[in-house]
């Protein structure tokens, strides 16, 4: 298996530092399962003042990220390798779900663009972007946190990243849109609250049935609160 490569372009690369170098995403890199590179947009602004933003034509509030630095960095990266996906994080994109994460996790090279301020010049999207991805119907200050969400969701699916006990196959949503049964650990009773008897029984079949039934209850509840039926 060749290693996956993820490149992220950002005007605020500091925002990405700690999450990419902590926990499972860090371990995936240490294990050689993925290489992640962060590119500072400002390094690709070649004018005297290294300007990356400007006022939108036609007026309106806020600043836009200028096209040139994006063109420079994307063209450089694309001259070095082919990208399966050039993803722009935006609230107008397709809302991320597990099926999309599974699809992205099969890629060899992924390039993620994070906007900031009001957005980016539309010509960057028109020229390079293959997938516009949203992480939900709400607006964040930039695409950095969404990019981190996407990277985490992808990286944990790469074979060999999680160990057996962490296995992604067990997760809620991996088996269609199903929510997992609740979990309990020691102590069996805490502040008068008891872990379900059946989980302590050692009776495998009963435990399986209980988990199945709890999963159904939580899935129904989840569909209702999310207005999916
Ligand atoms: N940028 C700002 N808000 C966003 C969202 N909800 N999803 C993806 N990118 C974004």
């Amino acid at each position: 298996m060749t290693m996956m490569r993820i490149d992220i372009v950002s005007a605020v690369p500091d925002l990405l530092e700690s999450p990419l170098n902590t926990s499972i995403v860090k371990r995936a890199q240490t294990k050689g399962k993925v290489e992640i590179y962060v590119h500072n947009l400002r390094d690709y602004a070649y004018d005297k003042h290294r300007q990356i933003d400007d006022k939108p034509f036609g007026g309106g509030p806020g600043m836009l990220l200028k096209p040139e630095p994006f063109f420079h960095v994307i063209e450089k990266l694309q001259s070095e390798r082919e990208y399966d996906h050039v993803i722009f994080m935006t609230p107008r994109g397709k809302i991320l779900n597990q099926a999309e994460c599974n699809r992205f996790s099969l890629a060899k090279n992924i390039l993620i663009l994070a906007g900031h301020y009001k957005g980016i010049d539309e010509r960057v999207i028109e020229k390079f972007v293959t997938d516009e991805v949203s992480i939900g119907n709400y607006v964040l200050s930039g695409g950095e946190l969404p990019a981190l969400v996407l990277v985490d969701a992808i990286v944990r699916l790469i074979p060999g990243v999680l160990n057996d006990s962490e296995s992604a196959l067990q997760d809620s949503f991996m088996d269609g849109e199903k929510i997992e049964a609740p979990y309990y650990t020691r102590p069996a009773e805490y502040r008068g609250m008891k872990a379900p008897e059946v989980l302590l029984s050692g009776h495998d079949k009963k435990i399986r049935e209980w988990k199945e039934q709890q999963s159904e209850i939580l899935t129904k509840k989840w569909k209702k609160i999310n207005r999916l039926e």
Side-chain angles (χ1 to χ4, degrees), residues 89-91 133-136 138-143 146:
M89 306 310 301
T90 168
V133 174
S134 166
I135 64 162
Y138 45 85
V139 178
L140 297 166
S141 325

Side-chain angles (χ1 to χ4, degrees), residues 30-43:
T30 311
K31 277 189 175 177
K33 304 297 180 187
V34 62
E35 289 176 285
I36 303 176
Y37 297 93
V38 173
H39 307 275
N40 188 346
L41 194 62
R42 200 170 293 277
D43 293 343

Side-chain angles (χ1 to χ4, degrees), residues 28-162:
Q29 294 173 86
T30 311
K31 277 189 175 177
K33 304 297 180 187
V34 62
E35 289 176 285
I36 303 176
Y37 297 93
V38 173
H39 307 275
N40 188 346
L41 194 62
R42 200 170 293 277
D43 293 343
Y44 296 86
Y46 300 145
D47 63 300
K48 209 167 63 194
H49 300 288
R50 304 214 132 195
Q51 193 186 342
I52 57 170
D53 59 348
D54 209 337
K55 292 182 298 220
F57 285 134
M63 297 288 268
L64 282 191
L65 290 170
K66 294 163 60 62
E68 302 94 317
F70 277 110
F71 273 65
H72 295 152
V73 64
I74 298 167
E75 280 172 349
K76 172 181 177 286
L77 291 170
Q78 284 187 329
S79 76
E80 293 164 352
R81 69 198 60 76
E82 238 184 81
Y83 288 90
D84 305 289
H85 305 281
V86 179
I87 300 172
F88 177 52
M89 306 310 301
T90 168
R92 84 176 190 200
K94 178 171 167 63
I95 296 175
L96 191 61
N97 59 23
Q98 192 61 53
E100 286 292 285
C101 296
N102 294 352
R103 183 170 75 86
F104 290 134
S105 78
L106 302 175
K108 164 128 187 57
N109 298 311
I110 294 176
L111 176 52
I112 303 175
L113 312 177
H116 221 78
Y117 312 103
K118 234 10 243 170
I120 72 179
D121 188 287
E122 189 67 22
R123 288 167 292 193
V124 176
I125 298 167
E126 186 186 324
K127 176 80 177 168
F128 299 108
V129 170
T130 61
D131 299 85
E132 293 183 68
V133 174
S134 166
I135 64 162
N137 292 337
Y138 45 85
V139 178
L140 297 166
S141 325
E144 284 75 16
L145 298 180
L148 291 167
V149 167
L150 179 61
V151 167
D152 187 289
I154 293 172
V155 165
R156 63 198 304 289
L157 296 173
I158 301 171
V161 167
L162 300 186

